[in-house]
C-alpha cells in the first residue's frame, strides 16, 4: 500500500504513475473494497498498454479491507 492521498483525482494520478515500476510480464490485479466505482474510474484513466496485463477484479477479503476501509482501490503488481 502506497498510502493515502488527498483527493480522488490526486490518488488516481499517483496510482497510475506507480505503474511505471510495473513489470507487465506479470499480471496486474485491479483491487477494491466494498464498491468498485472508484476502481472503474481508475481503469478508465489508465493507459491501454497496462490494461493488456490486467486480470479480473479482486474484491479484497475482509481481513485486509478492514484496514483499508470501504471504497479503497488500486493495483497489485510485481515491480521491475
Amino acid at each position: 500500500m502506497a498510502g493515502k492521498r488527498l483527493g480522488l483525482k490526486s490518488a488516481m494520478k499517483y496510482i497510475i504513475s506507480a505503474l511505471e515500476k510495473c513489470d507487465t510480464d506479470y499480471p496486474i490485479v485491479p483491487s477494491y473494497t466494498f464498491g468498485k466505482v472508484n476502481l472503474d474510474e481508475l481503469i478508465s484513466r489508465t493507459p491501454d498498454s497496462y490494461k493488456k496485463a490486467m486480470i479480473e477484479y479482486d474484491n479484497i477479503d475482509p481481513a485486509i479491507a478492514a484496514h483499508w476501509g470501504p471504497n479503497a482501490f488500486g493495483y497489485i503488481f510485481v515491480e521491475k
Side-chain angles (χ1 to χ4, degrees), residues 30-36 39 57-60 68 71-74:
S31 301
Y32 66 98
T33 61
F34 185 65
K36 63 179 186 167
L39 182 61
Y57 291 4
D58 182 25
N59 187 358
I60 299 295
W68 282 12
N71 300 315
F73 60 96

Side-chain angles (χ1 to χ4, degrees), residues 33-52:
T33 61
F34 185 65
K36 63 179 186 167
V37 173
N38 291 336
L39 182 61
D40 289 337
E41 178 66 22
L42 176 66
I43 290 172
S44 75
R45 295 170 181 249
T46 300
D48 290 336
S49 59
Y50 295 108
K51 292 179 185 176
K52 295 174 187 175

Side-chain angles (χ1 to χ4, degrees), residues 2 9-10 14-15 23 29 33 36-37 40 48-49 64 74 79:
K9 289 181 183 180
S10 173
Y14 180 79
I15 293 168
D23 186 344
V29 183
T33 61
K36 63 179 186 167
V37 173
D40 289 337
D48 290 336
S49 59
I64 296 172
E79 196 172 306

Side-chain angles (χ1 to χ4, degrees), residues 12-24:
M12 288 185 187
K13 285 180 185 178
Y14 180 79
I15 293 168
I16 291 168
S17 71
L19 286 174
E20 293 175 7
K21 300 175 186 176
C22 177
D23 186 344
T24 55

